Amino acid sequence: MTPAAYDAIILGAGAAGMMAAAVAGQRGVRVLLVDHADEPGRKILISGGGRCNFTNLHTAPDRVLSANPHFARSALARYTPADFIALVDRYRIAWHEKTLGQLFCDGSARQIVAMLRDECAGGGVDWSLGEPVHAIDHADSRFRVEIAARAAAAPQLVLATGGPSIPQMGASGFAYDVARRFGLKVVEPRPALVPLTLGGDEALFRSLSGVATGVVAKAGVGAFREAALFTHKGLSGPAILQVSSYWRPGQAVAIDFMPDRAAGWLVAEKRVHPRATMQSAIGQTLPGRLAEALAGRIALPGNLADLTDRMLADAEGQLAAWVFHPSGTEGFAKAEVTIGGIATDMLSQKTMAARTVPGLFAIGEAVDVTGWLGGYNFQWAWASGVACGESLWIGAAPRQA
Ligand code: FDA
């Protein structure tokens, strides 16, 4: 079987793969874009509750996690949120800022996928959808990819198949397997932006399922002020998803349930309302069921007037740094992204090309770059896709990356 000849084969028609294909195609690179799913951009379609939080105005390298946090700097500086907004505006896709710099479509995430498909069409990109990749070979500076009954070959191969989060959607560790085969290192992948589970003594908090409140949550060096939500398995909500990326098994998560209360508020409360109870004092700020659970654990019965200032200061300290010991996470099945991935020291930060394998590239979530919650992951997908798409070359001769 004579393989169809291309300049570049891109594996994975998600956010990063479509962006790279469109940019390269529009430069005249002959691109084949391959995905085992029937339609491209499925994670885009389900993102942001169907409205796609497509970027974040506060994108910066310190809002991504990586073994080398400086790696993402170059690509993020060269393709910014303003660049993606300009593209979205060109397609007259209406959008709004929801909170914390997070930009969403007014309408549907489908508009973003349609836009990217259109951009790919503008670059004459060929598609191969709905069929699995059977084999990848590399010989004589060409990558040969077998897809169902046909084969394609190109001097350049781009790994853009994302990470294994949400395997029920066909997500897999495929990019890692291919990368390892070519001698690239992979930083241990683990679920991120994922709910945490509570067990043992803390399992009692699961009865609060559905209760949400604004907190500051901390794990490791991560600290986030957003909402936390109790679930029937443990803890979720934006604050918890954010700290999950910093959390390691065995570590504690500290939650400030009273981020807006000034120091000494409980003693002051005793002066004003001496007959208040711990539960009613906490209940002024927190939902009733949560106030009841926390007061029960603080276990200082009676009126505030019956308690010493020292006791009240200790209770206040407990509420400001409530320590949970999560038993785990809800795993890749519920993780919005994967932390870890193809090691950045194996890649050029300008082009996303593998340093040791001419013609091999890796972009998007497959790489060890993971953004915070709130549009940062798509911005990395667009930016790394553009960096790669601009560096793919036309013709057979590989050039040094
Ligand atoms: P992506 O996963 O988009 O694409 C990979 C492609 O490769 C897929 O099309 C897949 O089918 C294909 N593929 C996988 N294995 C293959 C194989 N073996 N052969 C061929 N093809 C293969 N981020 C954000 O910034 N804002 C948001 O609002 C959200 N919301 C959100 C919600 C949910 C529920 C999830 C799961 C994730 C998000 N994210 C997000 C994260 C965001 O979706 C993610 O970071 C990007 O889609 C990553 O883009 P990639 O192109 O790298 O992978």
Side-chain angles (χ1 to χ4, degrees):
M1 185 195 336
T2 311
Y6 289 91
D7 295 322
I9 300 170
I10 299 179
L11 301 180
M18 280 195 281
M19 186 56 114
V23 169
Q26 290 176 21
R27 289 177 44 246
V29 179
R30 288 171 307 152
V31 177
L32 175 66
L33 183 52
V34 179
D35 204 296
H36 62 179
D38 293 334
E39 58 176 346
R42 286 171 75 197
K43 278 195 185 164
I44 301 175
L45 294 175
I46 59 162
S47 68
R51 292 222 161 113
C52 186
N53 176 194
F54 56 77
T55 192
N56 193 297
L57 296 175
H58 307 308
T59 295
D62 65 354
R63 286 164 188 226
V64 299
L65 291 82
S66 169
N68 175 8
H70 299 295
F71 177 81
R73 189 176 290 275
S74 169
L76 290 176
R78 283 180 294 140
Y79 191 81
T80 65
D83 292 317
F84 195 76
I85 292 166
L87 179 61
V88 164
D89 286 346
R90 199 144 49 77
Y91 278 78
R92 299 184 191 287
I93 298 172
W95 53 269
H96 62 279
E97 180 181 350
K98 197 167 169 190
T99 175
L100 302 171
Q102 302 168 5
L103 304 191
F104 286 75
C105 298
D106 289 357
S108 159
R110 292 207 166 271
Q111 296 171 286
I112 299 293
V113 175
M115 175 187 82
L116 292 168
R117 287 187 89 139
D118 212 58
E119 286 291 298
C120 286
V125 171
D126 278 352
W127 296 82
S128 171
L129 294 175
E131 284 175 319
V133 173
H134 288 314
I136 299 173
D137 293 312
H138 187 219
D140 302 329
S141 303
R142 292 182 80 72
F143 297 89
R144 183 187 152 102
V145 177
E146 282 179 30
I147 311 147
R150 63 201 192 101
Q156 300 165 100
L157 181 72
V158 181
L159 303 178
T161 52
S165 61
I166 321 283
Q168 57 275 37
M169 283 186 64
S172 68
F174 182 78
Y176 310 149
D177 298 340
V178 178
R180 283 194 190 99
R181 257 190 54 202
F182 284 105
L184 305 189
K185 281 186 301 179
V186 173
V187 176
E188 183 207 349
R190 55 194 172 87
L193 301 183
V194 62
L196 299 173
T197 54
L198 295 177
D201 187 31
E202 293 174 336
L204 291 173
F205 279 100
R206 301 191 319 214
S207 65
L208 296 176
S209 179
V211 172
T213 187
V215 303
V216 174
K218 293 183 187 167
V221 295
F224 294 89
R225 182 179 179 146
E226 286 194 63
L229 168 73
F230 289 91
T231 71
H232 66 290
K233 290 195 175 160
L235 294 165
S236 188
I240 301 302
L241 298 181
Q242 295 279 33
V243 293
S244 73
S245 300
Y246 292 86
W247 180 81
R248 293 293 193 139
Q251 283 183 348
V253 170
I255 294 192
D256 180 354
F257 281 111
M258 300 285 180
D260 292 320
R261 289 289 202 166
W265 71 271
L266 209 40
V267 173
E269 187 63 21
K270 176 170 87 168
R271 309 272 184 266
V272 183
H273 297 117
R275 301 181 72 169
T277 61
M278 183 62 69
Q279 183 179 332
S280 68
I282 299 173
Q284 285 179 26
T285 308
L286 300 183
R289 282 163 64 203
L290 178 57
E292 184 184 353
L294 296 177
R297 294 212 157 204
I298 291 172
L300 290 174
N303 299 330
L304 295 184
D306 303 329
L307 304 172
T308 64
D309 287 2
R310 177 79 250 156
M311 289 165 137
L312 292 171
D314 286 349
E316 194 182 303
Q318 224 178 319
L319 289 164
W322 199 278
V323 178
F324 288 97
H325 293 95
S327 52
T329 75
E330 288 195 36
F332 284 115
K334 290 286 157 66
E336 220 165 85
V337 288
T338 305
I339 222 165
I342 298 170
T344 55
D345 57 1
M346 311 302 282
L347 305 173
S348 154
Q349 60 181 322
K350 288 220 169 69
T351 64
M352 305 293 136
R355 294 186 187 284
T356 49
V357 187
L360 183 66
F361 296 74
I363 55 176
E365 197 179 319
V367 177
D368 173 30
V369 173
T370 308
W372 285 2
L373 185 78
Y376 298 100
N377 284 296
F378 278 137
Q379 189 58 37
W380 165 246
W382 316 135
S384 59
V386 169
C388 170
E390 284 178 344
S391 63
L392 292 173
W393 65 85
I394 301 168
R399 108 192 143 186
Q400 284 302 311

